[in-house]
Every structure is written in structure tokens, then in C-alpha cells.
Amino acid sequence: MKEQLKKIYNEVSELVKKAQTMADIDDIRAEYLSRKSPLNEIKKGLKDLPDADKKIIGPLANKISQDLEAELKAKYDVIYKAELDKKLASDRIDVTLPGKFIPQGRIHPLTSTIEEITSIFHTLGFSVIPSELSPEVETEYYNFDMLNVPKDHPARDVQDTFYTNIAQNVVLRSQTSDAQIRAMENQAPPIRIISPGRVYRNENINSRKNNFFHQIEGLYVDKDITFGDLKGVLNEFIRIYFGESRPTRFRNSFFPFTEPSAEVDVQCIMCKGKGCRTCSGTGWLEILGAGMVDPNVLRGVGIDPDVYSGFAFGMGVERLAMLKYAIDDIRLFFNNDDRFLKQF
Ligand code: DAH
């Protein structure tokens, strides 16, 4: 029986030496040290042995169990450490490597200008109409006819307005004033709305003109609206947007859809009114057109001009941004030069 025990020991000890993985260790333990293992069978049979044998075989069997257990444990530790080292080596992170450059976008200055202007008008009680009432691809009907623009008006010329070939009379809108008509068709007075959007004109591009740009249209229709209300709202807007210190002026003007009409100029920031290339030497830059809504326009959308009156305005977003941030070339907004965009 002693021989048998030694044989078991030698055999298992050899297996432990050959073990390569933790799974091998588990297998050995299950097969040779479990309750059903030959070693354990011998221990179970001890009670049937004569006392003299018991005293020798018992301790020997226990010692072999303990030795094998210790060898397994030692081998387990070696394998565990080797596997851990391998994993750590393959997962290694070099914290001294330089980081990757992740370019970050930012809000375009025209977007933030539109947001700023919109929020000022919010505080003055105006809300933005849904964009479907302000389409960029528009019919002549909304872009011109309903705004009282005569059939032979030069603005309708292909030299000025982009005609599409979607259908006859479908244009890229030349002004956001189309939104006025759609707003008045959509809701009854009182109406107090603004509508920011993009407009297109067949222009030669230079530092002050691009063939598309942005406008914010405004419209206020109610009983007893006067030119005084128009001046009050626009002056308040200019005061908030530019601050107190920027000289402005109202000038007489003409638009087919307003009577009387005005244009508002703001002193040129580049030359402080002295006259420079940006303001063509006048010291002023026009930022918007405005006026009292022409009775013909109100009648066209079924609003009685004897009961209601209103004012409207359309401002140039690029102009307003240029005048606030001293940008002297409109093309800077559109050519995606990161050095320019980064400054906002
Ligand atoms: N639509 C005009 C333009 O693009 C600007 C304008 C003038 C808008 C007078 C208005 C207005 O609403 O009342 O030049």
C-alpha cells in the first residue's frame, strides 16, 4: 500500500510539473485530490487496516495529500503570474505618447448673430414663425406679386433674381419678405413675428456683396400701429444689439410693399464715420429696410387696412455682424477659413 501511495505521488507530481495552464491545474485537482480519487479511496479504507498499518499509511497518505496540494498551489501561482504578465504586456498603455488632435466645431458667427438678434426680438415680444412659412425656393407670387411688386419691376429681372427650372415662376427667393405674406395668410392679427432665412441674388461677388446672404424679416400687424412704433422697436433693437454709443439714422426710401418706407444706417465701425472703402466713403452702412405695410398688401391677404395697420422690416444679418465685429469682407463668412471662424 505504501508502494501504491508513492506511485500516486510520483505520477501526480509529474503531472503538476507538466501543467501549462490553470485549466490543467484544475483537472489534476479534480482527478487526483477529489473525494473520488484513488488517494481518497485509500484514506477511506484506513479504518479496515490493522492498527500497526494505520499508523504508517494514515500519516503517509495525509502527507502525500498535503505535498501534492502544495505543489499544485506553487505551480498555480507560477502559471497565474505568467498569464497576468502576458496580459499586462499586451494591454500596455504608453501614457507618454502624444494625444490625438480632435478638431472641434464651433457655432458659425452668422448663426450666433441670428440667435442673438432673434433673442432680442423675443424680449420685444416677437416670435419666430415655423420655417415652412419661410421657404428658400419660392414662387414669384410670394416673392413679388403679393408684395405689390409691379410685373415690370427691375428686381424681377433674371439679372437680379435666380429663376429655377423646376417650373415657371419658381425662384430662389430674393428677400425674406415672402414670409410676411405667408404669416398673414396663416394667422389673423395681432401678428408679431420675425423670420430669419437665406436669400439669393444674381450679384457680382465682391467684398460687400455675395450671391446669397441672410435676412431677418419682421412684421407687426394690429390695430393702431404707427410709424412711431416702428421707430421705437427698431431703435430699441439697435440700442440692445450695438450698445448706446453707435450713431444711427433713418432715411427716406421706397419699397413697393411699404408706405412710407425707410432705411436705417449705422455708422461705419471701420472708419468711425470718416469714410472708407467699406462704406464707400459715406461713413454709414445700411442695415435694414422698413416701413408701414402698404394697404394693398394687407388687402391682398384679406386684412382690412381700415381696421388694421402694421410695420415691417428686413435686416441684413451679414451687415449687422460685420458692423459689430469690424469684418470688412462679406466673403469671410462663406469660405470656411478656420483662422477666421476660430475668432468667434
Ligand atoms: N425686402 C427688402 C430688401 O430685401 C427689405 C425690406 C424693406 C423688408 C422694407 C421689409 C420692409 O419688410 O418693410 O431689400
Side-chain angles (χ1 to χ4, degrees):
M1 199 165 271
K2 245 163 111 177
E3 289 310 310
Q4 211 186 327
L5 280 171
K6 281 205 179 127
K7 207 177 138 233
I8 292 174
Y9 172 78
N10 288 338
E11 197 183 318
V12 179
S13 186
E14 202 51 40
L15 284 173
V16 174
K17 279 190 201 113
K18 286 191 196 140
Q20 305 262 14
T21 64
M22 313 239 249
D24 292 346
I25 301 284
D26 289 341
D27 290 346
I28 295 169
R29 185 175 276 121
E31 192 164 348
Y32 296 99
L33 291 169
S34 67
R35 283 201 295 139
K36 284 192 181 143
S37 64
L39 187 56
N40 214 42
E41 289 303 322
I42 291 175
K43 285 183 187 171
K44 277 196 249 168
L46 278 174
K47 60 183 187 319
D48 301 326
L49 293 180
D51 279 354
D53 287 350
K54 246 189 236 172
K55 279 191 188 140
I56 299 169
I57 301 299
L60 182 61
N62 281 336
K63 181 163 184 330
I64 286 176
S65 287
Q66 282 162 13
D67 287 354
L68 287 176
E69 197 51 73
E71 284 172 30
L72 271 174
K73 169 87 173 61
K75 187 65 189 256
Y76 176 90
D77 288 348
V78 170
I79 293 173
Y80 177 80
K81 186 167 182 310
E83 289 192 3
L84 187 65
D85 285 349
K86 210 164 107 194
K87 191 160 187 325
L88 287 177
S90 69
D91 287 355
R92 196 185 143 99
I93 296 170
D94 183 351
V95 293
T96 65
L97 282 175
K100 278 190 198 137
F101 172 66
I102 301 171
Q104 239 192 336
R106 38 169 64 74
I107 307 279
H108 192 280
L110 286 179
T111 305
S112 61
T113 301
I114 289 172
E115 280 169 4
E116 185 184 359
I117 296 171
T118 302
S119 86
I120 294 173
F121 278 103
H122 269 151
T123 67
L124 296 174
F126 289 74
S127 46
V128 177
I129 59 166
S131 56
E132 60 268 26
L133 295 180
S134 185
E136 286 177 28
V137 180
E138 184 57 286
T139 55
E140 276 191 282
Y141 178 80
Y142 286 104
N143 195 82
F144 295 126
D145 299 348
M146 292 297 279
L147 287 159
N148 206 31
V149 179
K151 287 282 180 206
D152 58 355
H153 194 282
R156 293 185 184 243
D157 200 285
V158 287
Q159 313 285 341
D160 284 306
T161 297
F162 289 113
Y163 284 77
T164 70
N165 48 23
I166 297 172
Q168 228 191 348
N169 305 331
V170 177
V171 299
L172 299 185
R173 70 170 170 194
S174 62
Q175 50 185 353
T176 45
S177 303
D178 62 325
Q180 284 184 36
I181 304 300
R182 290 179 177 273
M184 288 189 284
E185 282 182 347
N186 188 57
Q187 100 183 73
I191 300 168
R192 204 178 337 178
I193 56 98
I194 55 170
S195 178
R198 191 175 274 190
V199 301
Y200 300 83
R201 289 187 195 171
N202 196 353
E203 300 272 15
N204 288 324
I205 298 170
N206 60 37
S207 66
R208 279 183 305 159
K209 284 185 173 163
N210 195 41
N211 51 17
F212 69 85
F213 55 100
H214 298 77
Q215 290 187 328
I216 296 182
E217 194 76 11
L219 175 70
Y220 189 178
V221 180
D222 202 348
K223 288 174 180 154
D224 304 323
I225 301 296
T226 67
F227 199 86
D229 296 312
L230 181 160
K231 274 194 95 168
V233 166
L234 291 178
N235 276 333
E236 187 61 3
F237 161 73
I238 291 164
R239 192 185 63 77
I240 300 172
Y241 180 77
F242 286 111
E244 302 280 357
S245 56
R246 198 65 81 80
T248 57
R249 67 180 188 189
F250 275 72
R251 253 186 311 108
N252 282 334
S253 188
F254 172 80
F255 298 100
F257 35 93
T258 46
E259 185 61 37
S261 306
E263 282 175 309
V264 173
D265 299 336
V266 173
Q267 195 180 70
C268 178
I269 188 179
M270 278 23 113
C271 61
K272 296 269 181 315
K274 289 193 193 72
C276 65
R277 205 172 58 92
T278 306
C279 58
S280 311
T282 62
W284 298 92
L285 276 165
E286 181 208 324
I287 55 161
L288 63 86
M292 300 306 292
V293 182
D294 194 289
N296 266 344
V297 172
L298 292 176
R299 243 176 255 121
V301 291
I303 294 175
D304 185 349
D306 293 328
V307 180
Y308 292 101
S309 56
F311 69 76
F313 57 85
M315 47 183 65
V317 176
E318 282 78 359
R319 279 289 172 84
L320 283 159
M322 289 167 85
L323 276 166
K324 184 150 172 167
Y325 303 111
I327 298 163
D328 63 2
D329 193 323
I330 194 171
R331 291 168 293 197
L332 286 167
F333 290 117
F334 306 113
N335 57 16
N336 279 329
D337 186 335
D338 196 40
R339 291 166 302 179
F340 170 74
L341 298 173
K342 248 180 359 208
Q343 296 176 44
F344 295 88

